[in-house]
Coordinates of all heavy atoms in Angstrom, one line a residue:
M1 N -12.2 -4.2 8.3 CA -11.3 -4.8 7.4 C -11.0 -6.2 7.9 O -10.6 -6.4 9.0 CB -10.0 -4.0 7.3 CG -9.0 -4.6 6.4 SD -7.4 -3.7 6.3 CE -7.8 -2.4 5.2
D2 N -11.3 -7.2 7.0 CA -11.0 -8.5 7.3 C -9.5 -8.9 7.1 O -8.8 -8.1 6.5 CB -12.0 -9.5 6.6 CG -11.8 -9.5 5.1 OD1 -11.2 -8.6 4.6 OD2 -12.4 -10.4 4.5
I3 N -9.2 -10.1 7.4 CA -7.8 -10.5 7.3 C -7.3 -10.6 5.9 O -6.1 -10.3 5.6 CB -7.5 -11.8 8.1 CG1 -6.0 -12.1 8.2 CG2 -8.2 -13.0 7.4 CD1 -5.3 -11.2 9.2
V4 N -8.2 -11.0 5.0 CA -7.8 -11.1 3.6 C -7.5 -9.7 3.0 O -6.4 -9.5 2.3 CB -8.9 -11.8 2.8 CG1 -8.6 -11.8 1.3 CG2 -9.1 -13.2 3.2
N5 N -8.3 -8.7 3.3 CA -8.1 -7.4 2.8 C -6.8 -6.8 3.4 O -6.0 -6.1 2.8 CB -9.2 -6.4 3.1 CG -10.4 -6.6 2.1 OD1 -10.2 -7.0 1.0 ND2 -11.6 -6.3 2.5
L6 N -6.6 -7.1 4.7 CA -5.4 -6.6 5.4 C -4.1 -7.2 4.7 O -3.1 -6.5 4.4 CB -5.4 -7.0 6.8 CG -4.2 -6.6 7.6 CD1 -4.0 -5.1 7.6 CD2 -4.3 -7.1 9.1
L7 N -4.1 -8.5 4.4 CA -3.0 -9.2 3.8 C -2.7 -8.6 2.4 O -1.6 -8.4 2.0 CB -3.1 -10.7 3.8 CG -3.0 -11.4 5.1 CD1 -3.4 -12.9 5.0 CD2 -1.6 -11.2 5.7
I8 N -3.8 -8.4 1.7 CA -3.7 -7.8 0.3 C -3.1 -6.4 0.4 O -2.2 -6.1 -0.4 CB -5.0 -7.8 -0.4 CG1 -5.5 -9.3 -0.7 CG2 -5.0 -7.0 -1.7 CD1 -6.9 -9.4 -1.2
S9 N -3.5 -5.6 1.4 CA -3.0 -4.3 1.5 C -1.5 -4.3 1.9 O -0.8 -3.5 1.3 CB -3.8 -3.6 2.7 OG -5.1 -3.3 2.3
L10 N -1.1 -5.2 2.8 CA 0.3 -5.2 3.2 C 1.2 -5.7 2.0 O 2.2 -5.1 1.8 CB 0.4 -6.1 4.4 CG -0.3 -5.6 5.7 CD1 -0.1 -6.6 6.8 CD2 0.2 -4.2 6.1
V11 N 0.8 -6.7 1.3 CA 1.6 -7.2 0.2 C 1.6 -6.2 -0.9 O 2.7 -5.9 -1.5 CB 1.0 -8.6 -0.3 CG1 1.7 -9.0 -1.6 CG2 1.2 -9.7 0.8
S12 N 0.5 -5.6 -1.2 CA 0.5 -4.5 -2.3 C 1.4 -3.4 -1.9 O 2.0 -2.8 -2.7 CB -0.9 -4.1 -2.5 OG -1.8 -5.1 -2.9
G13 N 1.4 -3.0 -0.6 CA 2.2 -1.9 -0.1 C 3.7 -2.2 -0.3 O 4.5 -1.4 -0.7
V14 N 4.1 -3.5 0.1 CA 5.5 -3.9 -0.1 C 5.9 -3.8 -1.6 O 7.0 -3.3 -1.9 CB 5.7 -5.3 0.5 CG1 7.0 -5.9 0.1 CG2 5.5 -5.3 2.0
V15 N 5.0 -4.3 -2.4 CA 5.3 -4.3 -3.9 C 5.4 -2.8 -4.4 O 6.3 -2.5 -5.1 CB 4.2 -5.0 -4.7 CG1 4.4 -4.8 -6.2 CG2 4.3 -6.5 -4.4
G16 N 4.5 -2.0 -3.9 CA 4.5 -0.6 -4.3 C 5.8 0.1 -3.8 O 6.4 0.9 -4.6
G17 N 6.2 -0.1 -2.6 CA 7.4 0.5 -2.1 C 8.6 0.0 -2.8 O 9.5 0.9 -3.1
N18 N 8.7 -1.2 -3.2 CA 9.9 -1.7 -3.9 C 9.9 -1.2 -5.4 O 10.9 -0.9 -5.9 CB 9.9 -3.2 -3.9 CG 10.5 -3.7 -2.6 OD1 11.6 -3.4 -2.2 ND2 9.7 -4.5 -1.8
I19 N 8.7 -1.1 -6.0 CA 8.7 -0.5 -7.3 C 9.1 0.9 -7.3 O 9.9 1.4 -8.2 CB 7.3 -0.7 -7.9 CG1 7.0 -2.2 -8.3 CG2 7.1 0.2 -9.2 CD1 5.6 -2.5 -8.7
A20 N 8.6 1.7 -6.3 CA 9.0 3.1 -6.2 C 10.5 3.2 -6.0 O 11.2 4.1 -6.5 CB 8.2 3.8 -5.1
G21 N 11.0 2.3 -5.1 CA 12.5 2.4 -4.9 C 13.3 2.0 -6.1 O 14.4 2.6 -6.3
A22 N 12.8 1.1 -6.9 CA 13.5 0.8 -8.1 C 13.4 1.9 -9.2 O 14.4 2.1 -9.9 CB 13.0 -0.5 -8.7
A23 N 12.3 2.6 -9.2 CA 12.1 3.7 -10.1 C 12.9 4.9 -9.8 O 13.4 5.6 -10.7 CB 10.6 4.0 -10.2
M24 N 13.1 5.1 -8.5 CA 13.8 6.3 -8.0 C 15.0 5.9 -7.2 O 14.9 5.9 -5.9 CB 12.9 7.2 -7.2 CG 11.7 7.7 -8.0 SD 10.7 8.8 -7.1 CE 11.2 10.3 -7.9
K25 N 16.1 5.6 -7.8 CA 17.2 5.0 -7.1 C 17.8 6.0 -6.1 O 18.3 5.5 -5.1 CB 18.3 4.7 -8.1 CG 17.9 3.6 -9.2 CD 18.3 2.3 -8.8 CE 18.1 1.3 -9.9 NZ 17.5 0.1 -9.5
D26 N 17.7 7.3 -6.3 CA 18.3 8.2 -5.4 C 17.5 8.3 -4.1 O 18.0 8.7 -3.0 CB 18.4 9.6 -6.0 CG 17.1 10.2 -6.5 OD1 16.2 9.4 -6.9 OD2 16.9 11.4 -6.4
K27 N 16.2 7.9 -4.1 CA 15.4 7.9 -2.9 C 15.2 6.5 -2.3 O 14.6 6.3 -1.2 CB 13.9 8.4 -3.2 CG 13.9 9.7 -3.9 CD 14.1 10.8 -2.9 CE 13.8 12.1 -3.6 NZ 15.0 12.9 -4.0
S28 N 15.8 5.5 -2.9 CA 15.7 4.1 -2.4 C 16.3 3.9 -1.0 O 17.3 4.5 -0.7 CB 16.3 3.2 -3.4 OG 16.2 1.8 -3.0
L29 N 15.6 3.1 -0.3 CA 16.1 2.8 1.1 C 16.7 1.4 1.2 O 17.0 0.9 2.3 CB 14.9 2.8 2.1 CG 14.1 4.1 2.1 CD1 12.8 3.9 2.9 CD2 14.9 5.3 2.6
G30 N 16.9 0.8 0.0 CA 17.4 -0.6 0.0 C 16.2 -1.5 0.0 O 15.1 -1.1 0.3
A31 N 16.4 -2.8 -0.2 CA 15.3 -3.7 -0.3 C 14.5 -3.8 1.0 O 13.3 -3.8 0.9 CB 15.8 -5.1 -0.8
V32 N 15.2 -3.9 2.1 CA 14.5 -4.1 3.3 C 13.8 -2.8 3.7 O 12.6 -2.8 4.2 CB 15.5 -4.5 4.5 CG1 14.8 -4.5 5.8 CG2 16.0 -5.9 4.1
G33 N 14.4 -1.7 3.6 CA 13.8 -0.4 3.9 C 12.6 -0.1 3.0 O 11.6 0.4 3.5
N34 N 12.7 -0.4 1.7 CA 11.6 -0.2 0.8 C 10.4 -1.0 1.2 O 9.3 -0.6 1.2 CB 12.0 -0.5 -0.6 CG 13.0 0.5 -1.2 OD1 13.2 1.6 -0.7 ND2 13.6 0.2 -2.3
S35 N 10.7 -2.3 1.6 CA 9.7 -3.2 2.0 C 9.0 -2.8 3.3 O 7.8 -2.8 3.4 CB 10.3 -4.6 2.2 OG 10.8 -5.1 1.0
I36 N 9.8 -2.3 4.3 CA 9.2 -1.9 5.5 C 8.3 -0.6 5.3 O 7.2 -0.5 5.8 CB 10.3 -1.7 6.6 CG1 10.9 -3.0 7.0 CG2 9.7 -0.9 7.8 CD1 12.1 -2.9 7.9
A37 N 8.9 0.4 4.6 CA 8.1 1.6 4.3 C 6.8 1.2 3.5 O 5.8 1.8 3.8 CB 9.0 2.6 3.6
G38 N 7.0 0.3 2.5 CA 5.8 -0.1 1.8 C 4.8 -0.8 2.6 O 3.6 -0.6 2.4
L39 N 5.2 -1.6 3.5 CA 4.3 -2.3 4.4 C 3.5 -1.4 5.3 O 2.3 -1.5 5.3 CB 5.1 -3.3 5.3 CG 4.4 -4.2 6.2 CD1 4.0 -5.4 5.4 CD2 5.3 -4.7 7.3
V40 N 4.2 -0.4 5.8 CA 3.5 0.6 6.6 C 2.5 1.4 5.7 O 1.3 1.6 6.1 CB 4.5 1.6 7.3 CG1 3.8 2.8 7.9 CG2 5.3 0.8 8.3
G41 N 3.0 1.9 4.5 CA 2.1 2.6 3.6 C 1.0 1.8 3.1 O -0.1 2.4 2.9
G42 N 1.2 0.5 2.8 CA 0.1 -0.3 2.4 C -1.0 -0.5 3.4 O -2.2 -0.5 3.2
G43 N -0.5 -0.7 4.7 CA -1.5 -0.8 5.8 C -2.3 0.5 6.0 O -3.5 0.5 6.1
I44 N -1.6 1.6 5.9 CA -2.3 2.9 6.0 C -3.2 3.2 4.8 O -4.4 3.6 5.0 CB -1.3 4.1 6.1 CG1 -0.5 4.0 7.5 CG2 -1.9 5.4 6.0 CD1 0.7 4.9 7.6
G45 N -2.7 2.8 3.6 CA -3.6 3.0 2.4 C -4.8 2.2 2.5 O -5.9 2.6 2.2
G46 N -4.7 0.9 2.9 CA -5.9 0.0 3.1 C -6.8 0.5 4.1 O -8.1 0.5 4.0
W47 N -6.3 1.0 5.2 CA -7.1 1.6 6.3 C -7.9 2.8 5.8 O -9.1 2.9 6.1 CB -6.3 1.9 7.5 CG -7.0 2.5 8.6 CD1 -7.9 1.9 9.5 CD2 -7.1 3.9 9.0 NE1 -8.4 2.8 10.4 CE2 -8.0 4.0 10.1 CE3 -6.5 5.0 8.5 CZ2 -8.2 5.2 10.6 CZ3 -6.8 6.2 9.0 CH2 -7.6 6.3 10.1
V48 N -7.2 3.7 5.1 CA -7.9 4.9 4.6 C -9.0 4.6 3.7 O -10.1 5.1 3.7 CB -6.8 5.9 4.0 CG1 -7.5 7.0 3.2 CG2 -5.9 6.5 5.1
L49 N -8.7 3.6 2.8 CA -9.8 3.2 1.8 C -11.0 2.6 2.5 O -12.1 2.8 2.1 CB -9.2 2.3 0.8 CG -8.2 2.9 -0.2 CD1 -7.6 1.8 -1.1 CD2 -8.9 3.9 -1.1
T50 N -10.7 1.8 3.5 CA -11.8 1.2 4.3 C -12.6 2.3 5.0 O -13.8 2.2 5.1 CB -11.2 0.1 5.3 OG1 -10.5 -0.8 4.6 CG2 -12.4 -0.5 6.1
A51 N -11.9 3.2 5.6 CA -12.5 4.3 6.4 C -13.4 5.2 5.4 O -14.4 5.7 5.8 CB -11.5 5.2 7.1
M52 N -12.9 5.3 4.2 CA -13.7 6.1 3.2 C -14.9 5.3 2.7 O -15.7 5.9 2.0 CB -12.8 6.6 2.1 CG -11.8 7.6 2.5 SD -10.6 8.1 1.3 CE -11.3 7.9 -0.3
G53 N -14.9 4.0 2.9 CA -16.0 3.2 2.4 C -15.7 2.6 1.1 O -16.6 2.0 0.5
V54 N -14.5 2.8 0.5 CA -14.2 2.2 -0.8 C -14.1 0.7 -0.7 O -14.5 0.0 -1.6 CB -12.9 2.9 -1.3 CG1 -12.5 2.2 -2.7 CG2 -13.1 4.4 -1.5
L55 N -13.4 0.2 0.3 CA -13.3 -1.2 0.5 C -14.3 -1.7 1.5 O -14.8 -1.0 2.3 CB -11.9 -1.5 1.1 CG -10.7 -1.1 0.2 CD1 -9.4 -1.5 0.9 CD2 -10.8 -1.8 -1.1
G56 N -14.6 -3.0 1.4 CA -15.5 -3.6 2.3 C -16.9 -3.7 1.7 O -17.8 -4.4 2.3
K57 N -17.2 -3.0 0.6 CA -18.5 -3.1 0.0 C -18.5 -4.2 -1.0 O -17.4 -4.5 -1.6 CB -18.8 -1.8 -0.8 CG -19.0 -0.6 0.1 CD -19.3 0.6 -0.8 CE -19.4 1.8 0.0 NZ -19.7 3.0 -0.8
T58 N -19.6 -4.9 -1.1 CA -19.6 -6.0 -2.1 C -20.7 -5.6 -3.1 O -21.7 -4.9 -2.9 CB -20.1 -7.3 -1.4 OG1 -21.3 -7.1 -0.8 CG2 -19.0 -7.8 -0.5
A59 N -20.4 -6.0 -4.4 CA -21.3 -5.7 -5.5 C -22.5 -6.7 -5.3 O -22.4 -7.7 -4.5 CB -20.6 -6.0 -6.8
P60 N -23.5 -6.4 -6.1 CA -24.7 -7.4 -6.0 C -24.2 -8.8 -6.3 O -23.2 -9.0 -7.1 CB -25.6 -6.9 -7.1 CG -25.3 -5.4 -7.2 CD -23.8 -5.3 -6.9
A61 N -24.7 -9.8 -5.7 CA -24.3 -11.2 -5.8 C -24.3 -11.6 -7.2 O -25.4 -11.6 -7.9 CB -25.1 -12.1 -4.9
V62 N -23.2 -12.0 -7.7 CA -23.1 -12.6 -9.1 C -22.9 -14.0 -8.9 O -21.8 -14.5 -8.4 CB -21.9 -11.9 -9.9 CG1 -21.8 -12.6 -11.3 CG2 -22.1 -10.4 -10.0
A63 N -23.9 -14.8 -9.3 CA -23.8 -16.3 -9.1 C -23.6 -16.7 -7.7 O -22.9 -17.7 -7.4 CB -22.8 -16.9 -10.1
G64 N -24.0 -15.8 -6.8 CA -23.9 -16.2 -5.3 C -22.5 -16.0 -4.8 O -22.3 -16.4 -3.6
A65 N -21.6 -15.4 -5.5 CA -20.2 -15.2 -5.0 C -20.1 -14.3 -3.8 O -19.5 -14.7 -2.8 CB -19.3 -14.7 -6.1
A66 N -20.8 -13.2 -3.8 CA -20.8 -12.3 -2.7 C -21.5 -12.9 -1.5 O -21.1 -12.8 -0.3 CB -21.4 -11.0 -3.0
A67 N -22.6 -13.6 -1.8 CA -23.4 -14.3 -0.7 C -22.6 -15.4 0.0 O -22.7 -15.6 1.2 CB -24.7 -14.8 -1.2
A68 N -21.7 -16.0 -0.7 CA -20.8 -17.0 -0.2 C -19.6 -16.5 0.5 O -18.7 -17.3 0.9 CB -20.5 -18.0 -1.3
G69 N -19.5 -15.2 0.6 CA -18.3 -14.6 1.3 C -17.2 -14.2 0.3 O -16.1 -13.8 0.7
G70 N -17.5 -14.2 -1.0 CA -16.5 -13.8 -2.0 C -16.4 -12.3 -2.0 O -17.2 -11.6 -1.5
M71 N -15.3 -11.8 -2.7 CA -15.2 -10.4 -2.8 C -15.2 -10.0 -4.2 O -14.8 -10.8 -5.1 CB -13.9 -10.0 -2.1 CG -12.7 -9.6 -2.9 SD -11.3 -9.0 -2.0 CE -11.2 -10.0 -0.5
D72 N -15.8 -8.8 -4.5 CA -15.9 -8.4 -5.9 C -14.6 -7.9 -6.5 O -13.7 -7.5 -5.7 CB -17.0 -7.4 -6.1 CG -16.7 -6.1 -5.4 OD1 -16.9 -6.0 -4.2 OD2 -16.4 -5.2 -6.1
I73 N -14.5 -8.0 -7.8 CA -13.2 -7.7 -8.4 C -12.9 -6.2 -8.3 O -11.7 -5.8 -8.2 CB -13.2 -8.2 -9.9 CG1 -11.8 -8.1 -10.5 CG2 -14.2 -7.4 -10.7 CD1 -10.9 -9.1 -10.0
G74 N -13.9 -5.3 -8.3 CA -13.6 -3.9 -8.2 C -13.0 -3.5 -6.9 O -12.1 -2.7 -6.8
S75 N -13.5 -4.1 -5.8 CA -13.0 -3.9 -4.5 C -11.5 -4.4 -4.4 O -10.7 -3.8 -3.8 CB -13.9 -4.6 -3.4 OG -13.4 -4.4 -2.1
L76 N -11.3 -5.6 -5.0 CA -10.0 -6.2 -4.9 C -9.0 -5.3 -5.7 O -7.9 -5.0 -5.1 CB -10.0 -7.6 -5.5 CG -8.7 -8.3 -5.6 CD1 -8.2 -8.6 -4.1 CD2 -8.9 -9.6 -6.4
I77 N -9.3 -4.8 -6.8 CA -8.4 -4.0 -7.6 C -8.2 -2.6 -6.9 O -7.1 -2.1 -6.9 CB -9.0 -3.8 -9.0 CG1 -8.9 -5.1 -9.8 CG2 -8.2 -2.7 -9.8 CD1 -9.6 -5.1 -11.2
G78 N -9.2 -2.1 -6.3 CA -9.1 -0.8 -5.6 C -8.2 -1.0 -4.4 O -7.4 -0.1 -4.1
N79 N -8.3 -2.1 -3.7 CA -7.4 -2.4 -2.6 C -6.0 -2.5 -3.0 O -5.1 -1.9 -2.4 CB -7.9 -3.7 -1.9 CG -7.2 -3.9 -0.6 OD1 -6.3 -3.2 -0.1 ND2 -7.6 -5.0 0.1
I80 N -5.7 -3.2 -4.1 CA -4.3 -3.4 -4.6 C -3.8 -2.1 -5.0 O -2.6 -1.7 -4.6 CB -4.3 -4.4 -5.7 CG1 -4.6 -5.8 -5.2 CG2 -3.0 -4.4 -6.4 CD1 -4.9 -6.9 -6.2
A81 N -4.5 -1.3 -5.8 CA -4.0 0.0 -6.3 C -3.8 1.0 -5.1 O -2.8 1.6 -5.1 CB -5.0 0.5 -7.3
G82 N -4.8 1.1 -4.3 CA -4.6 2.1 -3.2 C -3.5 1.7 -2.2 O -2.8 2.6 -1.8
S83 N -3.4 0.5 -1.9 CA -2.3 0.1 -1.0 C -0.9 0.2 -1.7 O 0.0 0.6 -1.0 CB -2.6 -1.3 -0.5 OG -3.8 -1.4 0.2
G84 N -0.9 -0.2 -2.9 CA 0.4 0.0 -3.6 C 0.8 1.4 -3.7 O 2.0 1.8 -3.5
V85 N -0.1 2.3 -4.0 CA 0.2 3.7 -4.1 C 0.6 4.3 -2.7 O 1.5 5.0 -2.5 CB -1.0 4.5 -4.7 CG1 -0.8 6.0 -4.5 CG2 -1.1 4.2 -6.1
G86 N -0.1 3.8 -1.7 CA 0.2 4.2 -0.3 C 1.6 3.7 0.1 O 2.4 4.5 0.7
G87 N 2.0 2.5 -0.3 CA 3.3 2.0 0.0 C 4.4 2.9 -0.7 O 5.4 3.2 -0.2
A88 N 4.1 3.2 -2.0 CA 5.1 4.0 -2.7 C 5.2 5.4 -2.1 O 6.3 6.0 -2.0 CB 4.6 4.1 -4.2
I89 N 4.1 6.0 -1.7 CA 4.2 7.4 -1.2 C 5.0 7.4 0.1 O 5.8 8.3 0.3 CB 2.7 7.9 -0.9 CG1 2.1 8.2 -2.3 CG2 2.7 9.1 -0.1 CD1 0.6 8.6 -2.2
V90 N 4.7 6.5 1.0 CA 5.4 6.4 2.3 C 6.9 6.2 2.0 O 7.8 6.8 2.6 CB 4.9 5.4 3.2 CG1 5.8 5.1 4.4 CG2 3.5 5.8 3.7
M91 N 7.3 5.3 1.1 CA 8.7 5.0 0.8 C 9.3 6.3 0.2 O 10.4 6.6 0.6 CB 8.8 3.9 -0.3 CG 10.2 3.3 -0.4 SD 11.4 4.2 -1.2 CE 10.7 4.7 -2.8
L92 N 8.6 7.0 -0.6 CA 9.2 8.3 -1.2 C 9.4 9.3 -0.1 O 10.4 10.0 -0.1 CB 8.3 8.8 -2.3 CG 8.4 8.0 -3.6 CD1 7.4 8.5 -4.6 CD2 9.8 8.0 -4.2
I93 N 8.4 9.5 0.8 CA 8.5 10.4 1.9 C 9.7 10.1 2.8 O 10.5 11.0 3.1 CB 7.2 10.5 2.7 CG1 6.1 11.2 1.8 CG2 7.4 11.3 4.0 CD1 4.7 11.1 2.5
V94 N 9.8 8.9 3.2 CA 10.9 8.4 4.0 C 12.3 8.6 3.3 O 13.3 9.1 3.8 CB 10.8 7.0 4.5 CG1 12.0 6.5 5.2 CG2 9.5 6.9 5.4
G95 N 12.3 8.3 2.0 CA 13.5 8.5 1.2 C 13.9 9.9 1.1 O 15.1 10.3 1.1
M96 N 12.9 10.8 0.9 CA 13.3 12.3 0.9 C 13.8 12.8 2.2 O 14.7 13.6 2.3 CB 12.0 13.1 0.4 CG 11.7 12.9 -1.0 SD 10.5 14.0 -1.7 CE 9.1 13.8 -0.7
I97 N 13.2 12.3 3.3 CA 13.7 12.7 4.6 C 15.1 12.2 4.9 O 15.9 12.9 5.3 CB 12.7 12.2 5.7 CG1 11.4 13.0 5.6 CG2 13.3 12.4 7.1 CD1 10.3 12.4 6.5
K98 N 15.3 11.0 4.5 CA 16.7 10.4 4.6 C 17.7 11.1 3.8 O 18.8 11.4 4.2 CB 16.6 8.9 4.2 CG 18.0 8.3 4.3 CD 17.9 6.8 3.8 CE 19.3 6.3 3.7 NZ 19.5 5.6 2.5
G99 N 17.3 11.5 2.6 CA 18.2 12.2 1.7 C 18.5 13.6 2.2 O 19.6 14.1 2.1
T100 N 17.5 14.3 2.8 CA 17.7 15.6 3.4 C 18.6 15.5 4.6 O 19.5 16.4 4.7 CB 16.4 16.2 3.8 OG1 15.5 16.3 2.6 CG2 16.6 17.6 4.3
Q101 N 18.5 14.5 5.4 CA 19.3 14.4 6.6 C 20.7 14.0 6.2 O 21.7 14.5 6.9 CB 18.7 13.4 7.6 CG 17.4 13.8 8.2 CD 16.9 12.8 9.2 OE1 17.3 11.7 9.2 NE2 15.9 13.3 10.0
S102 N 20.9 13.2 5.2 CA 22.3 12.8 4.9 C 23.0 14.0 4.2 O 24.3 14.1 4.3 CB 22.3 11.7 3.9 OG 21.7 12.0 2.7
K103 N 22.3 14.9 3.6 CA 23.0 16.1 3.0 C 23.5 17.1 4.1 O 24.4 17.8 3.9 CB 22.1 16.8 2.0 CG 21.9 16.1 0.8 CD 20.9 16.8 -0.2 CE 20.6 16.0 -1.4 NZ 19.7 16.7 -2.3
T104 N 22.7 17.2 5.2 CA 23.1 18.1 6.2 C 24.2 17.6 7.2 O 24.8 18.3 7.9 CB 21.8 18.5 7.1 OG1 21.3 17.3 7.7 CG2 20.8 19.2 6.3
S105 N 24.4 16.3 7.1 CA 25.4 15.7 8.0 C 26.8 15.9 7.5 O 27.1 15.9 6.4 CB 25.2 14.2 8.2 OG 23.9 14.0 8.8

């Protein structure tokens, strides 16, 4: 995974975590908590997609874009979607754990 894919994964994870927190107010960790959980989830989501071989592949060179180091749009969209979902999932898991612990206290 190169630095561009890593940054896209982390930013997408933060966005996914904050969207999930806004959608499920009872599981929300606050803006900072949602962002941190999303950051972790986005990194994990990007890593899993890379390990599965979904990211890092380039489509056949279209007008030399791939040959010049560009990235194809399918890989970019997959990275954004996978990392955003990963961020949302981690935020929801942490929110459920926090909610369970606060009920027992």
Side-chain angles (χ1 to χ4, degrees):
M1 177 181 280
D2 63 348
I3 190 73
V4 173
N5 282 333
L6 178 63
L7 288 174
I8 291 170
S9 293
L10 296 176
V11 170
S12 299
V14 168
V15 171
N18 281 301
I19 289 173
M24 303 184 100
K25 300 263 187 224
D26 59 326
K27 306 283 189 260
S28 180
L29 306 170
V32 174
N34 292 343
S35 296
I36 292 171
L39 189 78
V40 171
I44 292 170
W47 177 77
V48 167
L49 290 175
T50 302
M52 290 176 26
V54 175
L55 300 179
K57 295 181 180 179
T58 55
V62 177
M71 107 177 35
D72 66 282
I73 192 72
S75 177
L76 180 65
I77 291 172
N79 189 357
I80 292 169
S83 300
V85 169
I89 289 171
V90 169
M91 196 287 308
L92 289 173
I93 291 170
V94 173
M96 289 190 306
I97 292 169
K98 179 185 167 222
T100 303
Q101 288 181 347
S102 65
K103 288 180 184 177
T104 60
S105 299

